[in-house]
Amino acid sequence: MSAASLDSQSTTKLEFVYRAYLDAINARDWLTVASYISSSGAVHNNRPHTPEQYAEMCNVTSSPYKGIKFIPERILINTVDGKNGTLFCRIRFEYDGSNEPFFEHVVYDFEEGKITRVDSIVEDRKP
C-alpha cells in the first residue's frame, strides 16, 4: 500500500467520525454528541468542558435557531492514522425562517478518534 493511499484512508476515517458527530448535532442527539468528546473532556475556545457540558453547550447555542442544520462546506484534515490529528471546517448554518445562512470557521483536535479541542469563530449574521 502506498503512502498516498494510507493517508487517504486515514483522512477518510477522521472525516467519517466528524460527519457522524455533525449528524448527531443535527439530530439533537446530545448523548451521542457527548460520545464524540474525549472522556477527559474538550477545551472549546479556551474553556474546558466535560463531554456532557460540551453537548449541553451545543444544545444551548443552537436552540435559538429553529431547525438549525450544521452543513460542512469545506473540510481539511491533517492526520497520519485516522484517529489523531487536526480537522478544519467551514460550517454553513441554515435554519427555519431565514434565507441568509451564517458560517462558523472551526478547528478540531482529535486524539484516539475523540474531540479534545475546538477553536471556532462564528461570522456575524446579516440583520
Side-chain angles (χ1 to χ4, degrees):
M1 180 177 296
S2 73
S5 63
L6 177 60
D7 190 45
S8 175
Q9 288 177 358
S10 297
T11 297
T12 301
K13 286 181 193 176
L14 203 54
E15 184 173 349
F16 178 82
V17 169
Y18 179 67
R19 287 182 181 275
Y21 157 80
L22 289 181
D23 287 345
I25 291 174
N26 286 333
R28 309 299 181 264
D29 183 351
W30 306 120
L31 286 175
T32 300
V33 170
S35 75
Y36 288 101
I37 306 304
S38 170
S39 61
S40 60
V43 175
H44 180 270
N45 287 345
N46 295 320
R47 293 184 186 98
H49 297 280
T50 65
E52 296 76 17
Q53 289 169 330
Y54 184 91
E56 179 61 18
M57 176 203 57
C58 291
N59 180 22
V60 168
T61 58
S62 64
S63 63
Y65 305 98
K66 184 178 178 177
I68 193 165
K69 294 293 180 197
F70 291 58
I71 303 165
E73 282 200 336
R74 191 169 184 193
I75 298 174
L76 302 169
I77 299 170
N78 182 12
T79 184
V80 293
D81 63 5
K83 296 186 296 183
N84 301 290
T86 303
L87 183 146
F88 306 85
C89 187
R90 177 183 169 153
I91 300 172
R92 184 176 74 243
F93 297 115
E94 294 180 353
Y95 60 99
D96 297 346
S98 174
N99 293 328
E100 293 291 327
F102 61 105
F103 300 89
E104 177 181 30
H105 304 271
V106 62
V107 179
Y108 298 86
D109 288 338
F110 285 82
E111 293 178 13
E112 298 304 315
K114 301 287 185 170
I115 297 168
T116 59
R117 182 175 186 88
V118 180
D119 292 303
S120 72
I121 297 172
V122 177
E123 291 181 6
D124 287 336
R125 289 177 286 123
K126 295 179 181 177

